[in-house]
Amino acid sequence: QVQLVESGGGLVQPGGSLRLSCAASGIISSIGAMGWYRQAPGKQRELVAGITSGRSTNYADSVKGRFTISRENAKNTMYLQMNSLKPEDTAVYYCNARDVVRALYKYREVWGQGTLVTVSS
């Protein structure tokens, strides 16, 4: 019922920048915490950055200082500004969100289909 759609991926040279967007749509209860994950070939999916509904943030050490996560709650949209990109940032980036059913004190976890970011010269 809730869908997440990522956009903004592509090919960029080392040192360049990209901004990823993730928009939630459909039948939504209440979007709580959201986050960006990434997965490179042969590696496990890892959390890149997370943000709560109150806009508290956390980052993986590998991206701290280079990436910035943000959200616009009224639009149910999340962003990831990626600067100073490195080849090791190459991965499929996935949007994740929690659709919170407040009356039941539980949530449904929703994933986007992913967008490919390739950092190469």
Side-chain angles (χ1 to χ4, degrees):
Q1 294 179 330
V2 178
Q3 295 181 339
L4 301 177
V5 180
E6 303 99 333
S7 62
L11 175 65
V12 65
Q13 294 184 343
S17 298
L18 285 174
R19 190 181 77 155
L20 305 183
S21 299
C22 172
S25 62
I27 303 175
I28 300 172
S29 294
S30 180
I31 299 296
M34 303 181 75
W36 288 99
Y37 292 73
R38 68 185 181 188
Q39 187 169 23
K43 297 183 178 180
Q44 293 190 347
R45 188 172 300 186
E46 64 174 345
L47 175 66
V48 177
I51 185 167
T52 69
S53 60
R55 298 180 182 177
S56 296
T57 61
N58 66 284
Y59 298 89
D61 289 339
S62 60
V63 307
K64 192 173 298 182
R66 299 187 298 119
F67 291 8
T68 302
I69 189 171
S70 62
R71 66 190 291 170
E72 297 183 44
N73 291 340
K75 297 181 179 180
N76 289 320
T77 302
M78 176 180 64
Y79 307 94
L80 184 67
Q81 179 66 46
M82 304 185 294
N83 299 325
S84 302
L85 283 163
K86 305 175 181 179
E88 49 263 44
D89 294 319
T90 297
V92 176
Y93 284 71
Y94 296 91
C95 176
N96 172 268
R98 293 176 175 179
D99 185 26
V100 180
V101 184
R102 297 184 183 276
L104 299 179
Y105 299 96
K106 64 186 297 183
Y107 64 87
R108 298 182 178 91
E109 194 161 340
V110 185
W111 291 90
Q113 296 186 25
T115 184
L116 177 63
V117 172
T118 302
V119 185
S120 176
S121 60

